[in-house]
Amino acid sequence: MKNLILSVALFTTLLFSIQSIAQTKRTPASYGREEYIEVEKNVKLHVTDLGEGQPIVLIHGWPLSDAMYEYQYAYFVEKGYRVIGISLRGFGLSDKPGGKYDYDVFADDIKVVLDKLKIEKATLGGFSMGGATVIHYAAKYNAAHISKLALFGAAAPIWSKRPDFNYGYWSKADVDGLIKLNNTNRPQLLENFGQIFPANATSVSPGYGAWLGTIQAQASPYAMAECLKTLRDTDLRDDLKKIKIPTLILHGKLDKICSYELAEQMHKLLPNATLVPLEKSGHALFIEELEKFNSELLNFIKK
């Protein structure tokens, strides 16, 4: 009986030892990465952080969120990259405080996220307003954490016309009208933009349109209005001249929100840029020509 008790005790000790070793060596189910990152007191941003390998950081446009890059996440994770999408404050699942919503604030927030994640030598990409944001980030922080820049239908150098910049579609009065509509009938504003978002009525399916609509609905109305003011008033020409790192410009030739003329102006101002037109795309180039969009971005990253 005594020998049996000793055998049971020995077996139990051995079992606990094996379990302890297994728990120590076990890889966590997740990568141990935060889904929400605090950028200042009481302000957390939602971050999608998937895959392993060379990092790609993606910033969305107005009034979307990092969810817009669903089909870039799937593609680049499969190709062996780490893809990080950041929802700017006021949008998607990020916090929606009052206060300023300009490229300075957005650039500062991105810097905090990349600092905390210890990102180095990333490709930083931005769509529409997000394109303007990453331009300001690269200029303000001298391309900290990044080695390449990618601009997708970017709202730059300037989104609204002025006496010394007669490009694009929007006057300041036009944007004032958008702000008024946002503050009185936001569903109509989103419907109006939905109609001019693709190249034509059939280039984006109803399913894609409904998907984008669910993302837009998460945006803060206050943040949307403040960002329209930033889009209306900001001149990024000096910022573009400061950027020396390799830059890819992907822009739809049929874009009705950010005219292809804007891409040409950015190309002139950037010292080290490649402009690739997407011939069949409007502003929704990331889904209208999904395969070309992803492959052009991949080829640029690999260079």
Side-chain angles (χ1 to χ4, degrees), residues 39-216:
V39 291
E40 67 176 58
K41 187 177 180 182
N42 298 325
V43 180
K44 290 184 177 181
L45 302 189
H46 179 263
V47 177
T48 298
D49 188 351
L50 302 171
E52 295 181 278
Q54 184 181 351
I56 305 166
V57 180
L58 299 173
I59 308 298
H60 63 87
W62 178 97
L64 296 163
S65 75
D66 76 87
M68 67 164 279
Y69 290 113
E70 177 175 340
Y71 304 106
Q72 282 67 51
Y73 297 146
Y75 178 85
F76 283 101
V77 168
E78 184 70 21
K79 296 292 184 182
Y81 291 86
R82 178 180 180 182
V83 194
I84 300 162
I86 303 171
S87 281
L88 301 171
R89 61 173 68 200
F91 297 92
L93 299 176
S94 290
D95 286 343
K96 301 170 175 64
K100 290 184 178 181
Y101 281 83
D102 59 25
Y103 300 139
D104 242 9
V105 170
F106 293 152
D108 293 347
D109 287 350
I110 292 168
K111 179 67 161 53
V112 172
V113 172
L114 299 187
D115 284 346
K116 289 189 173 183
L117 294 179
K118 296 180 171 58
I119 297 300
E120 296 299 335
K121 297 182 179 179
T123 296
L124 175 62
F127 167 70
S128 194
M129 182 186 76
T133 297
V134 301
I135 288 168
H136 188 62
Y137 172 88
K140 180 175 183 177
Y141 287 109
N142 193 27
H145 300 289
I146 67 175
S147 59
K148 293 183 179 180
L149 193 68
L151 307 173
F152 320 131
I158 311 172
W159 196 53
S160 60
K161 294 181 180 181
R162 53 190 69 191
D164 65 340
F165 191 83
N166 191 31
Y167 302 100
Y169 300 117
W170 309 90
S171 68
K172 290 195 173 186
D174 291 333
V175 185
D176 289 341
L178 298 177
I179 294 167
K180 182 177 180 180
L181 189 57
N182 179 82
N183 294 339
T184 56
N185 190 347
R186 190 165 69 120
Q188 187 63 58
L189 174 65
L190 295 175
E191 182 180 336
N192 292 351
F193 262 79
Q195 291 172 355
I196 60 173
F197 198 69
N200 55 59
T202 59
S203 63
V204 171
S205 71
Y208 271 134
W211 167 65
L212 291 171
T214 63
I215 299 172
Q216 293 171 341

Side-chain angles (χ1 to χ4, degrees), residues 12 167 243 255 269:
T12 303
Y167 302 100
I243 297 169
D255 196 322
L269 291 169

